[in-house]
Amino acid sequence: MGLPTPGPALAGDVQADVCIVGAGYTGLWTAYYLKKAAPQLEIVILEAKFAGYGASGRNGGWLTNSVTGGREQYVKSHGRASAAAMQSAMTASVDEVIAVTEAEGIDADIVKGGELTVAMNPAQLARLTSFAASEQQWQADVDIEVLSAAESSARINVAGTLGGVVHPHCARIHPAKLVQGLARVVENLGVTIYEQTRVSEILPQKAVTDRGTVSAQVVVRATEGFTAGLAGLHRTWLPMNSSLIVTEPLDASVWAGIGWEGRETLGDFAHVYMYAQRTADDRIAFGGRGVPYRFGSNVDTDGETPESTISSLRALLTRFFPGTADVAIDHGWSGVLGVPRDWAATVGLDQGSGLAWAGGYVGTGVTATNLAGRTLTDLILGRDSELTRLPWVNHRVRNWEVEPLRWVAVHGLYAAYQMADRAEARGRATTSPIASMADVVTGRH
Ligand SMILES: Cc1cc2nc3c(=O)[nH]c(=O)nc-3n(C[C@H](O)[C@H](O)[C@H](O)COP(=O)(O)OP(=O)(O)OC[C@H]3O[C@@H](n4cnc5c(N)ncnc54)[C@H](O)[C@@H]3O)c2cc1C
C-alpha cells in the first residue's frame, strides 16, 4: 500500500473539548474510546504529517502482551498484585484490539498465532530457560511451551536454532492497515483530524501551531518518539530508531523449507534483537536495530534508512533463512520510538493543567497504545476504574542527560550489546557480563 494523501490542515483558531496531538495508535485509540463513551465531546486531533506517519504506520506488527520495561519494576514500586494486574491488562488488550477491528470492519491482516522466540547459542538458551520459568510463574494459566531445537524448527526453520519458546498472547498485524482503518473509524464517529499541522508547543489548555491555536479543556500529548521536537520536552523521551526490511513475496518452494504455517511472530534472545513476521502476502518483514540514536534527539527523514542498515538486516535474514539468499528486498524503512530514562511506559493526566500524555513504550507500543487510550478515557472522564489504578498511571521519571552525554551513552551501550552478542555467538555459555552491566546502566535489568 502506498502513502496516503494528507487531509486538510487546521485553518485558524479552534475551540474543542479535547485536543489530541498526534494521530498514531495512541491518539486514535484515545479519540475512539472517548468519543464512544461521551459522544457529545468535541474532539480534535492535530497531526504534523498524516495519520500513521510515525511508528504506528511502520512497526513490525507484533500485537503482544509484553509489559514495557518488564513486570519487576512494578513489583518494586507498587507490589506484586499491581504488577500482575498490569500483565493481565496487557493480555486482555491483545484481544480487545482484535475484537474492535472485527466490530468496526478494519481489515489489518490479524492472525493470533502466538510469539515464538528462538535461541541461537548457549547463552541465549540460558536466557530462554529463565524467560520461560518467569512467564510460567507470572502467567500460570497461560500455555508457555518450551520447544526443543527440532520442535522449534518444525514451526519455523531458523538455521542453527538451539531451542524456542512460544506463548499464545501475540498476533501478527499489518501496522499501516490498522492505523489507517482506525483513522477512518474515528472520523466516522465525528472526530476531526487536521493533518499537515505541526504543534510547536503544548500549554495548559492550548496546542499552538503556526496555522492557529486549538483551545481545549484537555490536551493529550500523543507524540511518542517525536516528543523531543516539542518546546520544553527535549530530554523527556529519547528517540530510538528501529529499522525493517521486507522481502518480495516468497515462492512456495522457499516457504516449504521454512514452514511458518502458524504465522507466529518471530524473535530471538540476542541483546540487539531481531523481530519478524510472515505477512499476509507471503513476504518476510524482518526488523532490528540500525543507527540507534541521532545526535541531539534528531529523527530520520520520512523513514530514510542507511544502506549499511539494510545490508546488515539482509545479512541477518540470510543467516536465519539461507533459502532467502537470492530473494529481492522490496522495501526498507526506519521509524522512531520513545525511550524514557527508566524504559517504563506511562500514561497520565494532570488535573490542574489539563495536560494528558501517553507513551514511552520503547519497542512494545502496538498493544499498550490501546490500553493507554482506554485509560486516558477514564482519566479524562474522571472515572476511578481498574485501568486508572494500574501502576503505569501518572508514572514520572527523570529526564535524559544533556548532549553530548546522551549520544555517547546510547552509542556506548549499543556497542556493548553488540560486543556481548558477538562473545555469546563465539560460544560463551552464560550472558556476557558486558550486557549485564549495560542493563544496569540503561535500567533494563
Ligand atoms: C520500526 C519499528 C518497529 C516496531 N515494532 C513494534 C512491534 O512489532 N510491536 C510493538 O508493540 N511495537 C513496535 N514498535 C513500537 C510501536 O510502533 C509504537 O510504540 C507505537 O506505534 C506508538 O504509537 P504512538 O501513536 O504513540 O506514536 P506514533 O505512531 O509515533 O505517532 C505519533 C504521531 O504524532 C505525530 N506528531 C509528532 N510530533 C508532532 C507535533 N509536534 N505536532 C503534531 N503531530 C506530531 C507524528 O507525525 C505521528 O503521526 C515499533 C516501532 C518502530 C519504529
Side-chain angles (χ1 to χ4, degrees), residues 363-411:
T364 48
V366 174
T367 307
T369 47
N370 175 275
L371 184 58
R374 287 184 285 131
T375 307
L376 280 171
T377 297
D378 283 357
L379 289 171
I380 291 167
L381 297 179
R383 294 170 174 167
D384 176 23
S385 69
E386 277 179 16
L387 299 186
T388 61
R389 275 175 258 133
L390 289 173
W392 69 330
V393 175
N394 289 326
H395 172 77
R396 287 167 205 265
V397 67
R398 72 180 168 93
N399 279 344
W400 281 91
E401 287 75 1
V402 292
E403 295 292 19
L405 277 184
R406 195 157 71 230
W407 189 89
V408 170
V410 178
H411 279 263

Tab-separated table of all heavy atoms in Angstrom, residues 363-411:
chain	number	residue	atom	x	y	z
A	363	GLY	N	9.860	-0.580	22.493
A	363	GLY	CA	9.524	-1.345	21.282
A	363	GLY	C	8.216	-2.099	21.376
A	363	GLY	O	7.926	-2.958	20.547
A	364	THR	N	7.381	-1.777	22.366
A	364	THR	CA	6.168	-2.590	22.550
A	364	THR	C	4.921	-1.721	22.742
A	364	THR	O	4.207	-1.863	23.724
A	364	THR	CB	6.324	-3.538	23.767
A	364	THR	OG1	6.822	-2.771	24.874
A	364	THR	CG2	7.270	-4.665	23.497
A	365	GLY	N	4.656	-0.872	21.764
A	365	GLY	CA	3.509	0.012	21.910
A	365	GLY	C	2.264	-0.393	21.146
A	365	GLY	O	1.208	0.216	21.319
A	366	VAL	N	2.345	-1.410	20.313
A	366	VAL	CA	1.182	-1.719	19.477
A	366	VAL	C	-0.023	-2.081	20.361
A	366	VAL	O	-1.137	-1.608	20.137
A	366	VAL	CB	1.507	-2.834	18.452
A	366	VAL	CG1	0.264	-3.251	17.690
A	366	VAL	CG2	2.585	-2.360	17.472
A	367	THR	N	0.205	-2.871	21.386
A	367	THR	CA	-0.876	-3.227	22.307
A	367	THR	C	-1.064	-2.155	23.383
A	367	THR	O	-2.194	-1.771	23.715
A	367	THR	CB	-0.567	-4.581	22.991
A	367	THR	OG1	-0.291	-5.539	21.976
A	367	THR	CG2	-1.732	-5.056	23.835
A	368	ALA	N	0.056	-1.658	23.921
A	368	ALA	CA	-0.022	-0.709	25.051
A	368	ALA	C	-0.765	0.572	24.679
A	368	ALA	O	-1.390	1.200	25.542
A	368	ALA	CB	1.381	-0.380	25.550
A	369	THR	N	-0.727	0.966	23.405
A	369	THR	CA	-1.440	2.180	22.995
A	369	THR	C	-2.955	2.024	23.178
A	369	THR	O	-3.643	2.982	23.502
A	369	THR	CB	-1.149	2.511	21.516
A	369	THR	OG1	-1.300	1.315	20.744
A	369	THR	CG2	0.256	3.061	21.329
A	370	ASN	N	-3.437	0.803	22.979
A	370	ASN	CA	-4.870	0.562	23.173
A	370	ASN	C	-5.225	0.710	24.651
A	370	ASN	O	-6.206	1.371	25.010
A	370	ASN	CB	-5.245	-0.828	22.657
A	370	ASN	CG	-6.693	-1.174	22.951
A	370	ASN	OD1	-7.012	-1.648	24.038
A	370	ASN	ND2	-7.580	-0.896	22.016
A	371	LEU	N	-4.393	0.116	25.505
A	371	LEU	CA	-4.617	0.239	26.951
A	371	LEU	C	-4.514	1.710	27.364
A	371	LEU	O	-5.309	2.192	28.180
A	371	LEU	CB	-3.567	-0.613	27.701
A	371	LEU	CG	-3.703	-0.693	29.210
A	371	LEU	CD1	-5.052	-1.251	29.631
A	371	LEU	CD2	-2.573	-1.555	29.798
A	372	ALA	N	-3.564	2.424	26.759
A	372	ALA	CA	-3.395	3.849	27.068
A	372	ALA	C	-4.648	4.630	26.666
A	372	ALA	O	-5.125	5.484	27.412
A	372	ALA	CB	-2.173	4.405	26.350
A	373	GLY	N	-5.205	4.323	25.508
A	373	GLY	CA	-6.392	5.041	25.021
A	373	GLY	C	-7.582	4.841	25.946
A	373	GLY	O	-8.318	5.789	26.265
A	374	ARG	N	-7.754	3.614	26.427
A	374	ARG	CA	-8.878	3.340	27.341
A	374	ARG	C	-8.640	3.995	28.702
A	374	ARG	O	-9.564	4.484	29.346
A	374	ARG	CB	-9.084	1.834	27.479
A	374	ARG	CG	-9.696	1.244	26.202
A	374	ARG	CD	-10.006	-0.227	26.339
A	374	ARG	NE	-8.808	-1.043	26.281
A	374	ARG	CZ	-8.500	-1.999	27.145
A	374	ARG	NH1	-9.307	-2.246	28.158
A	374	ARG	NH2	-7.406	-2.707	26.998
A	375	THR	N	-7.355	3.984	29.117
A	375	THR	CA	-7.025	4.569	30.422
A	375	THR	C	-7.202	6.086	30.388
A	375	THR	O	-7.772	6.682	31.318
A	375	THR	CB	-5.571	4.200	30.795
A	375	THR	OG1	-5.434	2.782	30.702
A	375	THR	CG2	-5.228	4.666	32.198
A	376	LEU	N	-6.732	6.716	29.305
A	376	LEU	CA	-6.896	8.175	29.189
A	376	LEU	C	-8.380	8.539	29.180
A	376	LEU	O	-8.783	9.552	29.744
A	376	LEU	CB	-6.215	8.682	27.919
A	376	LEU	CG	-4.693	8.851	28.024
A	376	LEU	CD1	-4.087	9.135	26.651
A	376	LEU	CD2	-4.316	9.967	28.991
A	377	THR	N	-9.186	7.710	28.534
A	377	THR	CA	-10.635	7.966	28.509
A	377	THR	C	-11.183	8.028	29.936
A	377	THR	O	-11.899	8.968	30.303
A	377	THR	CB	-11.347	6.865	27.689
A	377	THR	OG1	-10.868	6.961	26.349
A	377	THR	CG2	-12.848	7.012	27.713
A	378	ASP	N	-10.815	7.038	30.753
A	378	ASP	CA	-11.300	7.038	32.143
A	378	ASP	C	-10.753	8.237	32.920
A	378	ASP	O	-11.477	8.869	33.697
A	378	ASP	CB	-10.886	5.735	32.848
A	378	ASP	CG	-11.770	4.565	32.410
A	378	ASP	OD1	-12.714	4.800	31.624
A	378	ASP	OD2	-11.517	3.428	32.844
A	379	LEU	N	-9.469	8.547	32.712
A	379	LEU	CA	-8.881	9.682	33.440
A	379	LEU	C	-9.574	10.987	33.037
A	379	LEU	O	-9.931	11.803	33.892
A	379	LEU	CB	-7.377	9.789	33.133
A	379	LEU	CG	-6.472	8.702	33.745
A	379	LEU	CD1	-5.055	8.805	33.173
A	379	LEU	CD2	-6.436	8.808	35.270
A	380	ILE	N	-9.796	11.167	31.745
A	380	ILE	CA	-10.394	12.423	31.272
A	380	ILE	C	-11.854	12.546	31.739
A	380	ILE	O	-12.317	13.620	32.101
A	380	ILE	CB	-10.285	12.523	29.728
A	380	ILE	CG1	-8.810	12.700	29.338
A	380	ILE	CG2	-11.134	13.665	29.164
A	380	ILE	CD1	-8.516	12.503	27.852
A	381	LEU	N	-12.551	11.409	31.780
A	381	LEU	CA	-13.956	11.453	32.220
A	381	LEU	C	-14.085	11.379	33.744
A	381	LEU	O	-15.190	11.302	34.275
A	381	LEU	CB	-14.749	10.315	31.562
A	381	LEU	CG	-14.825	10.386	30.028
A	381	LEU	CD1	-15.603	9.201	29.466
A	381	LEU	CD2	-15.453	11.707	29.558
A	382	GLY	N	-12.945	11.352	34.431
A	382	GLY	CA	-12.965	11.352	35.901
A	382	GLY	C	-13.469	10.057	36.509
A	382	GLY	O	-14.013	10.046	37.606
A	383	ARG	N	-13.286	8.954	35.772
A	383	ARG	CA	-13.753	7.665	36.299
A	383	ARG	C	-12.633	6.982	37.072
A	383	ARG	O	-11.528	6.861	36.556
A	383	ARG	CB	-14.117	6.729	35.157
A	383	ARG	CG	-15.293	7.153	34.342
A	383	ARG	CD	-15.310	6.217	33.140
A	383	ARG	NE	-16.476	6.387	32.311
A	383	ARG	CZ	-16.566	5.854	31.087
A	383	ARG	NH1	-15.579	5.122	30.597
A	383	ARG	NH2	-17.647	6.035	30.371
A	384	ASP	N	-12.954	6.507	38.272
A	384	ASP	CA	-12.000	5.687	39.019
A	384	ASP	C	-12.252	4.240	38.571
A	384	ASP	O	-13.335	3.709	38.784
A	384	ASP	CB	-12.265	5.852	40.519
A	384	ASP	CG	-11.371	4.964	41.348
A	384	ASP	OD1	-10.297	4.575	40.854
A	384	ASP	OD2	-11.754	4.653	42.496
A	385	SER	N	-11.282	3.627	37.906
A	385	SER	CA	-11.517	2.286	37.368
A	385	SER	C	-10.287	1.419	37.605
A	385	SER	O	-9.239	1.909	38.039
A	385	SER	CB	-11.784	2.375	35.859
A	385	SER	OG	-10.586	2.755	35.193
A	386	GLU	N	-10.424	0.146	37.264
A	386	GLU	CA	-9.266	-0.754	37.363
A	386	GLU	C	-8.112	-0.216	36.530
A	386	GLU	O	-6.952	-0.319	36.889
A	386	GLU	CB	-9.643	-2.141	36.828
A	386	GLU	CG	-10.339	-2.998	37.857
A	386	GLU	CD	-10.711	-4.352	37.292
A	386	GLU	OE1	-10.182	-4.753	36.234
A	386	GLU	OE2	-11.561	-5.010	37.925
A	387	LEU	N	-8.464	0.377	35.399
A	387	LEU	CA	-7.417	0.886	34.500
A	387	LEU	C	-6.669	2.059	35.117
A	387	LEU	O	-5.453	2.155	35.009
A	387	LEU	CB	-8.015	1.312	33.156
A	387	LEU	CG	-8.715	0.238	32.329
A	387	LEU	CD1	-9.114	0.782	30.971
A	387	LEU	CD2	-7.814	-0.983	32.151
A	388	THR	N	-7.408	2.962	35.768
A	388	THR	CA	-6.734	4.155	36.304
A	388	THR	C	-5.895	3.819	37.531
A	388	THR	O	-5.129	4.650	37.992
A	388	THR	CB	-7.741	5.276	36.659
A	388	THR	OG1	-8.635	4.785	37.659
A	388	THR	CG2	-8.520	5.718	35.441
A	389	ARG	N	-6.070	2.581	38.035
A	389	ARG	CA	-5.251	2.176	39.197
A	389	ARG	C	-4.024	1.364	38.792
A	389	ARG	O	-3.262	0.922	39.633
A	389	ARG	CB	-6.119	1.392	40.195
A	389	ARG	CG	-6.864	2.342	41.137
A	389	ARG	CD	-7.811	1.632	42.063
A	389	ARG	NE	-9.185	1.767	41.581
A	389	ARG	CZ	-10.053	0.773	41.479
A	389	ARG	NH1	-9.713	-0.452	41.807
A	389	ARG	NH2	-11.270	0.996	41.021
A	390	LEU	N	-3.818	1.157	37.504
A	390	LEU	CA	-2.643	0.395	37.060
A	390	LEU	C	-1.355	1.172	37.358
A	390	LEU	O	-1.357	2.409	37.388
A	390	LEU	CB	-2.751	0.089	35.558
A	390	LEU	CG	-3.823	-0.954	35.193
A	390	LEU	CD1	-3.978	-1.068	33.675
A	390	LEU	CD2	-3.499	-2.321	35.798
A	391	PRO	N	-0.251	0.450	37.578
A	391	PRO	CA	0.953	1.119	38.110
A	391	PRO	C	1.650	2.075	37.151
A	391	PRO	O	2.486	2.847	37.584
A	391	PRO	CB	1.872	-0.063	38.456
A	391	PRO	CG	1.398	-1.188	37.609
A	391	PRO	CD	-0.085	-1.001	37.466
A	392	TRP	N	1.334	2.041	35.863
A	392	TRP	CA	1.997	2.975	34.954
A	392	TRP	C	1.302	4.333	34.899
A	392	TRP	O	1.797	5.263	34.291
A	392	TRP	CB	2.123	2.377	33.556
A	392	TRP	CG	0.842	2.186	32.769
A	392	TRP	CD1	-0.408	1.945	33.260
A	392	TRP	CD2	0.703	2.219	31.338
A	392	TRP	NE1	-1.315	1.804	32.224
A	392	TRP	CE2	-0.651	1.966	31.036
A	392	TRP	CE3	1.588	2.426	30.296
A	392	TRP	CZ2	-1.142	1.916	29.733
A	392	TRP	CZ3	1.112	2.380	28.988
A	392	TRP	CH2	-0.243	2.127	28.723
A	393	VAL	N	0.145	4.441	35.568
A	393	VAL	CA	-0.622	5.691	35.522
A	393	VAL	C	0.091	6.769	36.350
A	393	VAL	O	0.434	6.554	37.506
A	393	VAL	CB	-2.070	5.463	36.033
A	393	VAL	CG1	-2.833	6.784	36.096
A	393	VAL	CG2	-2.799	4.465	35.132
A	394	ASN	N	0.288	7.910	35.707
A	394	ASN	CA	0.968	9.064	36.321
A	394	ASN	C	2.391	8.763	36.771
A	394	ASN	O	2.934	9.455	37.622
A	394	ASN	CB	0.145	9.639	37.485
A	394	ASN	CG	-1.103	10.332	36.961
A	394	ASN	OD1	-1.085	10.925	35.888
A	394	ASN	ND2	-2.195	10.221	37.692
A	395	HIS	N	3.006	7.723	36.184
A	395	HIS	CA	4.404	7.405	36.490
A	395	HIS	C	5.302	8.484	35.876
A	395	HIS	O	5.147	8.855	34.728
A	395	HIS	CB	4.742	6.033	35.884
A	395	HIS	CG	6.198	5.689	35.959
A	395	HIS	ND1	6.785	5.262	37.120
A	395	HIS	CD2	7.184	5.739	35.033
A	395	HIS	CE1	8.077	5.040	36.907
A	395	HIS	NE2	8.342	5.325	35.641
A	396	ARG	N	6.224	8.986	36.653
A	396	ARG	CA	7.154	10.011	36.152
A	396	ARG	C	8.582	9.577	36.397
A	396	ARG	O	8.852	8.855	37.357
A	396	ARG	CB	6.922	11.348	36.863
A	396	ARG	CG	5.648	12.037	36.403
A	396	ARG	CD	5.290	13.185	37.343
A	396	ARG	NE	3.851	13.442	37.296
A	396	ARG	CZ	3.289	14.351	36.525
A	396	ARG	NH1	4.022	15.075	35.723
A	396	ARG	NH2	1.986	14.542	36.542
A	397	VAL	N	9.486	10.028	35.556
A	397	VAL	CA	10.891	9.646	35.682
A	397	VAL	C	11.759	10.845	35.300
A	397	VAL	O	11.288	11.757	34.617
A	397	VAL	CB	11.191	8.413	34.790
A	397	VAL	CG1	11.081	8.767	33.316
A	397	VAL	CG2	12.548	7.823	35.084
A	398	ARG	N	13.011	10.818	35.736
A	398	ARG	CA	13.872	11.974	35.426
A	398	ARG	C	14.186	12.042	33.925
A	398	ARG	O	14.056	11.044	33.208
A	398	ARG	CB	15.152	11.911	36.258
A	398	ARG	CG	16.151	10.846	35.846
A	398	ARG	CD	17.360	10.948	36.796
A	398	ARG	NE	18.258	9.819	36.690
A	398	ARG	CZ	19.320	9.792	35.892
A	398	ARG	NH1	19.586	10.794	35.097
A	398	ARG	NH2	20.115	8.739	35.892
A	399	ASN	N	14.653	13.213	33.508
A	399	ASN	CA	14.997	13.430	32.095
A	399	ASN	C	16.285	12.725	31.718
A	399	ASN	O	17.085	12.355	32.578
A	399	ASN	CB	15.195	14.930	31.837
A	399	ASN	CG	13.878	15.639	31.639
A	399	ASN	OD1	12.847	15.008	31.405
A	399	ASN	ND2	13.900	16.942	31.748
A	400	TRP	N	16.509	12.581	30.406
A	400	TRP	CA	17.768	12.080	29.887
A	400	TRP	C	18.860	13.129	30.077
A	400	TRP	O	18.573	14.316	30.226
A	400	TRP	CB	17.636	11.739	28.391
A	400	TRP	CG	16.966	10.419	28.181
A	400	TRP	CD1	15.633	10.212	28.015
A	400	TRP	CD2	17.584	9.129	28.130
A	400	TRP	NE1	15.380	8.866	27.866
A	400	TRP	CE2	16.563	8.186	27.931
A	400	TRP	CE3	18.905	8.673	28.237
A	400	TRP	CZ2	16.811	6.813	27.831
A	400	TRP	CZ3	19.157	7.311	28.137
A	400	TRP	CH2	18.118	6.399	27.942
A	401	GLU	N	20.124	12.659	30.010
A	401	GLU	CA	21.271	13.542	30.146
A	401	GLU	C	21.308	14.549	28.990
A	401	GLU	O	20.714	14.319	27.941
A	401	GLU	CB	22.575	12.716	30.124
A	401	GLU	CG	22.845	11.911	31.389
A	401	GLU	CD	21.966	10.665	31.522
A	401	GLU	OE1	21.138	10.388	30.624
A	401	GLU	OE2	22.076	9.973	32.548
A	402	VAL	N	22.065	15.628	29.203
A	402	VAL	CA	22.252	16.596	28.112
A	402	VAL	C	23.268	16.027	27.124
A	402	VAL	O	24.045	15.137	27.454
A	402	VAL	CB	22.766	17.965	28.642
A	402	VAL	CG1	21.692	18.656	29.459
A	402	VAL	CG2	24.024	17.800	29.475
A	403	GLU	N	23.278	16.582	25.893
A	403	GLU	CA	24.310	16.199	24.907
A	403	GLU	C	25.654	16.812	25.314
A	403	GLU	O	25.653	17.876	25.951
A	403	GLU	CB	23.912	16.678	23.507
A	403	GLU	CG	22.675	16.025	22.948
A	403	GLU	CD	22.837	14.538	22.620
A	403	GLU	OE1	23.777	13.894	23.141
A	403	GLU	OE2	21.996	14.022	21.886
A	404	PRO	N	26.820	16.222	25.006
A	404	PRO	CA	26.957	15.014	24.198
A	404	PRO	C	26.831	13.716	25.006
A	404	PRO	O	26.937	12.642	24.446
A	404	PRO	CB	28.373	15.144	23.632
A	404	PRO	CG	29.140	15.846	24.713
A	404	PRO	CD	28.161	16.780	25.371
A	405	LEU	N	26.546	13.848	26.328
A	405	LEU	CA	26.481	12.638	27.170
A	405	LEU	C	25.448	11.649	26.665
A	405	LEU	O	25.639	10.436	26.685
A	405	LEU	CB	26.118	13.025	28.605
A	405	LEU	CG	27.269	13.485	29.499
A	405	LEU	CD1	26.743	13.730	30.905
A	405	LEU	CD2	28.365	12.411	29.527
A	406	ARG	N	24.310	12.196	26.192
A	406	ARG	CA	23.204	11.337	25.765
A	406	ARG	C	23.649	10.478	24.567
A	406	ARG	O	23.445	9.276	24.531
A	406	ARG	CB	22.030	12.249	25.380
A	406	ARG	CG	20.725	11.556	25.252
A	406	ARG	CD	19.565	12.515	25.442
A	406	ARG	NE	19.390	13.438	24.345
A	406	ARG	CZ	19.265	14.757	24.490
A	406	ARG	NH1	19.332	15.310	25.679
A	406	ARG	NH2	19.086	15.531	23.456
A	407	TRP	N	24.317	11.122	23.606
A	407	TRP	CA	24.757	10.424	22.397
A	407	TRP	C	25.823	9.383	22.763
A	407	TRP	O	25.749	8.224	22.334
A	407	TRP	CB	25.325	11.438	21.384
A	407	TRP	CG	25.611	10.853	20.046
A	407	TRP	CD1	24.757	10.759	18.987
A	407	TRP	CD2	26.842	10.250	19.616
A	407	TRP	NE1	25.378	10.144	17.925
A	407	TRP	CE2	26.655	9.819	18.281
A	407	TRP	CE3	28.079	10.028	20.228
A	407	TRP	CZ2	27.654	9.187	17.555
A	407	TRP	CZ3	29.081	9.397	19.500
A	407	TRP	CH2	28.865	8.985	18.170
A	408	VAL	N	26.792	9.798	23.571
A	408	VAL	CA	27.887	8.897	23.954
A	408	VAL	C	27.307	7.688	24.692
A	408	VAL	O	27.655	6.538	24.428
A	408	VAL	CB	28.916	9.642	24.845
A	408	VAL	CG1	29.927	8.673	25.451
A	408	VAL	CG2	29.624	10.718	24.043
A	409	ALA	N	26.378	7.952	25.618
A	409	ALA	CA	25.810	6.864	26.425
A	409	ALA	C	25.086	5.848	25.537
A	409	ALA	O	25.334	4.642	25.622
A	409	ALA	CB	24.852	7.434	27.463
A	410	VAL	N	24.231	6.325	24.643
A	410	VAL	CA	23.435	5.384	23.839
A	410	VAL	C	24.326	4.604	22.885
A	410	VAL	O	24.200	3.378	22.761
A	410	VAL	CB	22.308	6.114	23.066
A	410	VAL	CG1	21.532	5.126	22.216
A	410	VAL	CG2	21.378	6.792	24.045
A	411	HIS	N	25.258	5.296	22.223
A	411	HIS	CA	26.129	4.580	21.290
A	411	HIS	C	27.044	3.614	22.028
A	411	HIS	O	27.307	2.511	21.551
A	411	HIS	CB	26.900	5.565	20.403
A	411	HIS	CG	26.054	6.046	19.266
A	411	HIS	ND1	26.107	5.492	18.009
A	411	HIS	CD2	25.076	6.979	19.239
A	411	HIS	CE1	25.206	6.098	17.244
A	411	HIS	NE2	24.570	6.998	17.968
